[in-house]
Amino acid sequence: MARLLVLRTAPYHHSSLSAAATTALLFPSKHRHSASFPHPARRLLPSPLRVPVRAIESSSGATKQEEAPPAAGEAQEPLPAAPAFVMEELGWGTQLAVKLKMLVAPPWQRIRKGSVLTMKLRGEVTDQVKTRFSSGLSLPQICENFEKAAYDPRISGIYLHIEPLSCGWGKAEEIRRHIVDFKKSGKFVVGYMPVGGEKEYYLASACGELYAPPSAYVALYGLTIQQTFLRGVLEKVGVQPEIKRIGRYKSAGDQLSRKSMSNEVREMLAALLDNIYGNWLDTVSSIRGKEKEEIEEFINSGVYQVERLKEEGWITDLLYDDEIMAMLKERVGQNDKKSLRMVDYSKYSRVRKSTLGLEGGGELIAVIRASGSISRTRGRLSVGSSGIVAEQLIEKIRSVRESEKYKAVILRIDSPGGDALASDLMWREIRLLADSKPVIASMSDVAASGGYYMAMAAPVIVAEKLTLTGSIGVVTGKFILQKLYERIDFNKEILSKGRYAELNAADNRPLRPDEAELFEKSAQNAYASFRDKAAMSRSMSIDEMETVAQGRVWSGQDAASRGLVDSLGGFSQALAIAKQRANIPQDNKVRLVEISKASPSLPEILSGIGGSLLGVDRVMKGVLQDVTSLNGVQARMDGILFERLENASGENQLFVLIKEIINYFD
């Protein structure tokens, strides 16, 4: 969404995640809390940033440990690694109960024996649990379907259609991990990829078999990160941005004030790109049994013929979809002339885990999901599941805090930030929640700016290796429209009382020297407040935090080595730590209770039933949300640039920019 394109004439404050992905978090000094606020981590975990970091390598199932230097005289409490997935043998009583439940299951949960689960992994993948009326894919439901299918005696295997995905590498890693785990059930998992790039192949390579049609377009050319600059465009229309940067790596201001990439931002983006590409090479070389140099040489040779992928062992064979289904019919022993017995993602998502004996008694662990951009209240035009609404999430946090039935909480975050005040209010509530029971923050694709602000309230933070996080820095700016007004013969006169009354209102003239000084001091204060609160939350000194702040975006792997993240892994890793903190044995079953499961609103129902007919697409949903939540200080990631970082496409960036501007103001 084109969130940075709103030409707000009042001064605005952003903290920047990256030029490629971000606008970050800022909070004014009046919301700053005393450093004497007791952090629950100091009771549960003497120094959360210095505990041993354990990273789960999903490609091999092995556990790799990286240790951060301990503080002198501090006792260390190691974090547990997520247990490797092992198929449990169900007792005869459980098996009998499962058969009875299947026999009396409602029609929408009935599945014929010998069926193949088909899932089309393409487009947007949300971290929120979807309602039955919602369109699109849900990461928790995708992962749960893999788990259920592994135990379901009616499912013979899985057939995955993998096409271009609009998600980050964090979600891709989580899905890939579940593909690897599913194969341990002994059932087949077959992939079909007619179109795809590096991210799609990253998923597909985990399948036991991978096929593509002879006419497939598989573009394995390498990875890119792009940054766009609007300064030249703004100059041509008579708009002068006045930007104050606080932090060497901030980039949201660069997009408006520069015509080229700064050295600091280039350094930051190059490091992110190295992390992503290096992880891709490591994973693919491991699964294909080749040296990294061989993989890189193959990519650099410019592969455009899908036949070469077969010849070099990158895919199993070249087959059309109907040929694969005929092959699977034979494999599952279906000898009739009917089509392959299949159950799709949507229907299988309705099958309850309890039907398969996978969910029973045990302690309760609450799961609070926070996905999307952050706002304090819901706008009148917002759809039911669009973003994080602070007042609603705070209600859920308080209900969990006041309940004694939940033994621990997993706070699942997938957010580029948003309203700073809202982020601060949620930060406070999460810290109060952590006073009453263990809270583990689990990051998905991104938890930066306001997203990281929420996460740092938890005593323990878990991130994927390629989660985008950090972005502790601010940028403040104002648009001067004097030349634009002159060109269109527009006049604006202001009467004011008070020396700085026109600071927010006067867009028809440049700032006076005293106004510019106040402008910069305000940004400096905002940065110091953000940095100091982050230092307190992570039990770091101001100087230590300063070295990792400066508006820099880190990958989860780099953030872990610098004290911003405690452990590397996915949801299962967070669950293992939650059990440890709640004194629940790792081999004990627990019940996960989704606290923030959305109820469908009328716009969401209509969108799910006929999105294309009603014109309620993803861009318009974002526009409707943004238009109603632009009041106050914003701390959000740049939507256009974030999409380009996570889902680069061949579409010309200028055309994308123009298209989204038109969509926004249409």
Side-chain angles (χ1 to χ4, degrees):
M1 272 35 94
R3 297 183 178 108
L4 278 180
L5 301 177
V6 184
L7 303 185
R8 303 176 63 201
T9 56
Y12 65 91
H13 299 275
H14 283 112
S15 50
S16 73
L17 182 142
S18 94
T22 141
T23 313
L25 174 68
L26 162 146
F27 47 90
S29 58
K30 64 181 179 181
H31 301 303
R32 183 177 174 183
H33 291 254
S34 168
S36 63
F37 190 104
H39 195 298
R42 291 173 181 156
R43 293 184 295 280
L44 296 174
L45 197 61
S47 180
L49 63 124
R50 295 186 175 99
V51 297
V53 174
R54 298 175 184 265
I56 305 302
E57 296 292 344
S58 63
S59 59
S60 63
T63 301
K64 176 173 145 185
Q65 178 170 313
E66 303 173 17
E67 299 212 4
E74 286 190 351
Q76 300 301 305
E77 184 178 3
L79 297 178
F85 178 81
V86 178
M87 286 289 295
E88 298 179 18
E89 188 68 32
L90 300 180
W92 68 268
T94 303
Q95 292 182 37
L96 178 60
V98 168
K99 290 180 180 179
L100 290 174
K101 288 179 180 179
M102 290 180 179
L103 189 64
V104 299
W108 56 86
Q109 291 189 27
R110 292 179 186 173
I111 299 169
R112 295 184 63 184
K113 188 173 179 61
S115 294
V116 175
L117 171 60
T118 63
M119 291 194 287
K120 295 183 178 180
L121 303 181
R122 66 185 179 195
E124 185 178 8
V125 181
T126 178
D127 208 77
Q128 203 74 23
V129 176
K130 292 276 191 177
T131 67
R132 64 180 299 181
F133 295 105
S134 303
S135 58
L137 297 173
S138 163
L139 178 66
Q141 286 166 301
I142 292 172
C143 296
E144 185 177 282
N145 281 354
F146 276 109
E147 183 182 351
K148 291 184 298 187
Y151 285 93
D152 196 333
R154 303 167 297 180
I155 299 296
S156 297
I158 295 179
Y159 181 29
L160 294 178
H161 280 238
I162 302 173
E163 297 185 31
L165 290 160
S166 297
C167 71
W169 291 90
K171 291 192 183 80
E173 183 69 33
E174 187 80 79
I175 296 172
R176 193 180 194 283
R177 186 180 295 119
H178 278 78
I179 296 175
V180 172
D181 287 344
F182 175 81
K183 291 195 295 185
K184 297 176 183 177
S185 68
K187 300 179 181 181
F188 65 80
V189 54
V190 173
Y192 177 69
M193 187 172 66
V195 181
E198 284 74 11
K199 188 182 299 177
E200 290 71 35
Y201 187 79
Y202 184 76
L203 283 181
S205 64
C207 297
E209 304 166 49
L210 176 58
Y211 299 93
S215 55
Y217 182 69
V218 180
L220 301 179
Y221 298 146
L223 300 173
T224 63
I225 291 181
Q226 302 178 32
Q227 183 179 9
T228 54
F229 299 93
L230 304 177
R231 181 59 184 262
V233 176
L234 296 177
E235 286 179 354
K236 291 184 183 300
V237 297
V239 176
Q240 176 189 346
E242 292 200 6
I243 306 296
K244 299 295 181 183
R245 295 167 42 113
I246 312 297
R248 294 185 298 123
Y249 295 96
K250 286 181 313 304
S251 56
D254 286 358
Q255 188 186 26
L256 301 174
S257 63
R258 296 179 60 92
K259 295 183 178 180
S260 62
M261 192 180 296
S262 69
N263 292 334
E264 292 82 3
V265 171
R266 188 179 300 276
E267 173 194 345
M268 177 179 68
L269 297 185
L272 290 173
L273 189 58
D274 286 344
N275 271 278
I276 297 171
Y277 192 51
N279 181 74
W280 190 87
L281 289 175
D282 288 342
T283 302
V284 173
S285 62
S286 174
I287 200 71
R288 292 300 167 215
K290 298 177 182 291
E291 296 293 329
K292 287 174 59 177
E293 292 74 17
E294 293 181 75
I295 300 295
E296 197 162 14
E297 182 180 352
F298 183 77
I299 295 298
N300 291 335
S301 67
V303 181
Y304 62 93
Q305 295 173 310
V306 70
E307 291 83 3
R308 281 195 62 191
L309 296 176
K310 176 186 175 182
E311 293 169 1
E312 298 285 341
W314 286 63
I315 61 176
T316 306
D317 203 353
L318 299 177
L319 296 176
Y320 286 103
D321 182 41
D322 64 289
E323 295 176 299
I324 298 173
M325 288 194 288
M327 177 188 70
L328 294 180
K329 273 188 66 177
E330 184 177 347
R331 186 172 299 184
V332 300
Q334 183 181 340
N335 299 318
D336 55 39
K337 295 184 179 180
K338 296 181 179 179
S339 300
L340 176 69
R341 285 192 294 269
M342 297 185 295
V343 54
D344 64 17
Y345 160 85
S346 180
K347 180 176 181 178
Y348 199 66
S349 294
R350 302 179 199 170
V351 175
R352 298 178 182 273
K353 293 179 69 174
S354 58
T355 302
L356 302 170
L358 299 178
E359 193 173 68
E363 303 287 3
L364 301 184
I365 293 180
V367 180
I368 301 176
R369 297 184 183 273
S371 302
S373 59
I374 298 170
S375 60
R376 192 171 59 87
T377 59
R378 183 170 300 286
R380 289 175 297 174
L381 298 176
S382 297
V383 296
S385 59
S386 56
I388 304 167
V389 181
E391 64 179 9
Q392 294 180 355
L393 192 65
I394 286 173
E395 287 181 10
K396 293 178 171 64
I397 292 172
R398 288 176 177 172
S399 69
V400 173
R401 189 181 78 215
E402 294 166 0
S403 173
E404 296 183 359
K405 64 182 179 180
Y406 301 113
K407 301 304 179 184
V409 180
I410 297 176
L411 177 63
R412 180 73 173 177
I413 301 173
D414 186 31
S415 173
D419 184 87
L421 172 58
S423 302
D424 183 72
L425 297 177
M426 291 187 290
W427 177 88
R428 167 72 177 182
E429 294 295 331
I430 295 167
R431 288 176 66 88
L432 293 176
L433 175 64
D435 269 334
S436 64
K437 57 200 67 183
V439 178
I440 313 301
S442 172
M443 298 176 173
S444 185
D445 279 342
V446 58
S449 311
Y452 185 76
Y453 195 0
M454 296 173 64
M456 70 188 191
V460 183
I461 299 176
V462 180
E464 295 286 4
K465 289 183 292 185
L466 298 180
T467 295
L468 296 178
T469 191
S471 185
I472 302 168
V474 300
V475 57
T476 182
K478 175 179 179 176
F479 290 107
I480 306 302
L481 308 180
Q482 181 179 7
K483 292 183 179 179
L484 175 62
Y485 289 167
E486 291 173 354
R487 289 182 182 180
I488 62 176
D489 200 19
F490 177 83
N491 185 40
K492 182 177 183 179
E493 296 184 6
I494 301 174
L495 300 179
S496 62
K497 288 288 187 180
R499 181 177 179 182
Y500 298 107
E502 296 185 12
L503 184 64
N504 294 338
D507 57 358
N508 56 344
R509 62 171 177 80
L511 294 175
R512 302 190 310 263
D514 60 328
E515 290 176 326
E517 181 181 2
L518 180 64
F519 203 52
E520 183 166 0
K521 285 182 178 179
S522 173
Q524 292 282 1
N525 180 71
Y527 173 71
S529 183
F530 191 179
R531 178 202 60 200
D532 294 355
K533 185 171 285 188
M536 177 189 65
S537 297
R538 296 300 296 163
S539 299
M540 299 171 72
S541 69
I542 300 297
D543 290 341
E544 287 175 323
M545 180 55 67
E546 183 70 20
T547 63
V548 296
Q550 292 288 326
R552 179 156 185 166
V553 185
W554 302 98
S555 67
Q557 184 170 315
D558 286 346
S561 67
R562 289 164 173 81
L564 297 177
V565 166
D566 299 305
S567 183
L568 297 177
F571 189 87
S572 59
Q573 175 73 352
L575 178 59
I577 298 173
K579 284 184 174 182
Q580 181 200 53
R581 293 290 180 261
N583 296 317
I584 301 173
Q586 291 295 328
D587 55 354
N588 281 19
K589 286 187 176 181
V590 294
R591 286 182 57 197
L592 300 177
V593 181
E594 293 282 349
I595 303 299
S596 49
K597 187 173 182 179
S599 57
S601 64
L602 180 58
E604 187 177 11
I605 293 174
L606 294 176
S607 177
I609 295 175
S612 59
L613 176 64
L614 299 172
V616 187
D617 60 13
R618 184 164 59 94
V619 172
M620 187 54 67
K621 288 179 183 177
V623 169
L624 292 178
Q625 180 184 353
D626 287 348
V627 165
T628 58
S629 63
L630 283 175
N631 292 328
V633 177
Q634 294 297 299
R636 65 181 68 244
M637 180 184 297
D638 177 10
I640 293 179
L641 295 177
F642 178 60
E643 287 189 12
R644 295 287 75 77
L645 174 67
E646 298 295 3
N647 185 35
S649 69
E651 193 170 8
N652 185 282
Q653 293 297 293
L654 182 58
F655 292 158
V656 172
L657 189 63
I658 294 172
K659 180 178 69 177
E660 298 219 1
I661 291 174
I662 293 173
N663 285 342
Y664 195 98
F665 291 105
D666 188 11

